[in-house]
């Protein structure tokens, strides 16, 4: 259990990118510091909105039987299916925020 604003940081994908020998931030401490900075780069209200989209995405994936490993790195087809499922029932700006939330989550956990 965590607050909506903390989900971007605390909800971790099954697989993440751990860096390479040539990456400038190799230590676990450096990686965690970078995640903390990135997680707090947005206002709390924005993070809460983004994580509502992330939660909605995970619920959609669970309902469709999408394996957890396929949720990050989410394929274009999966994202399009998610958008299609919301089209007509949510405002375009809401859908945009949800997609930005999923993207942000991928970036924070380097699963892109």
């Amino acid at each position: 259990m965590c607050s909506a604003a903390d989900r971007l940081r605390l909800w971790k994908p099954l697989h993440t990118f751990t860096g390479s020998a040539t990456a400038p931030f190799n230590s676990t401490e450096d990686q965690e510091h970078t995640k903390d900075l990135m997680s707090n780069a947005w206002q709390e209200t924005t993070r809460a909105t983004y994580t509502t989209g992330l939660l909605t995405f995970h619920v959609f994936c669970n309902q469709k039987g999408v394996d957890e490993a396929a949720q990050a790195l989410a394929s274009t087809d999966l994202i399009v299916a998610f958008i299609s499922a919301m089209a007509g029932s949510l405002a375009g700006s809401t859908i945009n925020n949800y997609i930005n939330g999923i993207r942000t989550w991928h970036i924070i956990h380097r699963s892109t």
Side-chain angles (χ1 to χ4, degrees):
M1 299 291 271
C2 63
S3 71
D6 292 330
R7 288 180 194 148
L8 285 174
R9 173 75 171 96
L10 298 177
W11 285 7
K12 298 180 184 196
L14 187 60
H15 301 288
T16 58
F17 176 75
T18 58
S20 67
T22 59
F25 305 106
N26 286 327
S27 75
T28 301
E29 182 180 320
D30 286 340
Q31 290 175 16
E32 292 304 312
H33 179 70
T34 300
K35 285 181 185 180
D36 285 339
L37 288 174
M38 291 174 64
S39 298
N40 292 305
W42 294 269
Q43 291 184 345
E44 186 172 341
T45 55
T46 301
R47 293 193 319 264
T49 299
Y50 279 10
T51 59
T52 299
L54 183 59
L55 173 62
T56 304
F57 175 69
H58 287 305
V59 168
F60 169 81
C61 290
N62 291 341
Q63 289 174 339
K64 298 294 183 184
V66 175
D67 186 64
E68 188 175 343
Q71 295 177 31
L73 178 64
S75 70
T76 300
D77 289 340
L78 179 56
I79 296 297
V80 168
F82 177 60
I83 292 168
S84 295
M86 294 183 293
S89 61
L90 296 174
S93 60
T94 300
I95 295 170
N96 186 52
N97 280 329
Y98 284 10
I99 298 304
N100 282 331
I102 296 164
R103 180 178 183 270
T104 299
W105 179 67
H106 278 74
I107 290 169
I108 287 171
H109 295 285
R110 300 187 53 139
S111 51
T112 57

